[in-house]
Amino acid sequence: MVSLSIPPLREHKGDIKSLVIHFLRRYSRLFQKRVKGVSKDVYNALMLYDWPGNVREFANVIEYTFNILDGELIEMEHLPPLLLRQAGSELKSSGSLDALLRAYSVRLVEHALEEHKGHKAAAAKALGISRATLYRLLARDRL
């Protein structure tokens, strides 16, 4: 007997970008719609969401957007209400603007490091910051 352990999506959010691309292609063919992508706000909401239903829930969210989409870009108004509520409540619970910006920068750095398998120079380049700035962010927030 072989046992496979598949981590939940919330533990490997670095895969969200690839999943967006995959499901956009799949549902573009299925619905015969030309969808170019998701807005930055939508991408951020997808990154903030906990994904209790894992990849199946993710696929359902993208399919949901295709059912109500009338353009070529998925915007916030196309997302299901549950996802919007959780992402919105997480943003509201962050408190001050400084706290919100810190939390967001932590998520961006975590995501970049995951995407580049811990390679700090590549992560800094992807974020458009210097390695020194990346190291400062890591020291400040103890990532």
Side-chain angles (χ1 to χ4, degrees):
M1 179 179 186
V2 176
S3 178
L4 292 176
S5 175
I6 300 172
L9 184 55
R10 69 181 161 272
E11 291 179 14
H12 56 102
K13 288 190 175 184
D15 292 345
I16 287 178
K17 184 176 183 179
S18 298
L19 288 170
V20 166
I21 294 166
H22 169 75
F23 287 115
L24 286 179
R25 286 181 183 153
R26 173 190 274 182
Y27 292 121
S28 288
R29 282 191 307 270
L30 185 66
F31 287 86
Q32 297 181 350
K33 288 184 177 183
R34 185 169 182 234
V35 178
K36 292 182 178 180
V38 300
S39 71
K40 286 186 179 197
D41 289 339
V42 168
Y43 181 74
N44 291 336
L46 295 174
M47 292 297 289
L48 286 171
Y49 190 65
D50 239 0
W51 300 109
N54 214 347
V55 176
R56 185 175 295 137
E57 182 183 15
F58 188 90
N60 289 339
V61 165
I62 301 299
E63 183 178 7
Y64 175 95
T65 65
F66 270 78
N67 281 302
I68 61 173
L69 185 65
D70 57 0
E72 293 183 335
L73 187 67
I74 297 172
E75 300 283 353
M76 291 296 283
E77 64 265 17
H78 302 122
L79 293 177
L82 176 66
L83 195 135
L84 288 172
R85 277 194 302 274
Q86 184 183 340
S89 67
E90 187 162 332
L91 288 173
K92 288 177 192 168
S93 68
S94 297
S96 70
L97 178 60
D98 184 51
L100 179 60
L101 291 173
R102 279 178 182 255
Y104 187 64
S105 66
V106 166
R107 285 182 186 260
L108 288 174
V109 169
E110 286 173 343
H111 174 70
L113 287 170
E114 281 177 31
E115 204 169 82
H116 296 283
K117 297 176 179 36
H119 191 264
K120 292 180 178 81
K125 184 177 181 179
L127 291 169
I129 60 175
S130 68
R131 275 190 300 174
T133 301
L134 180 78
Y135 280 105
R136 239 186 336 273
L137 289 169
L138 290 170
R140 182 190 73 191
D141 294 311
R142 294 182 198 100
L143 290 176

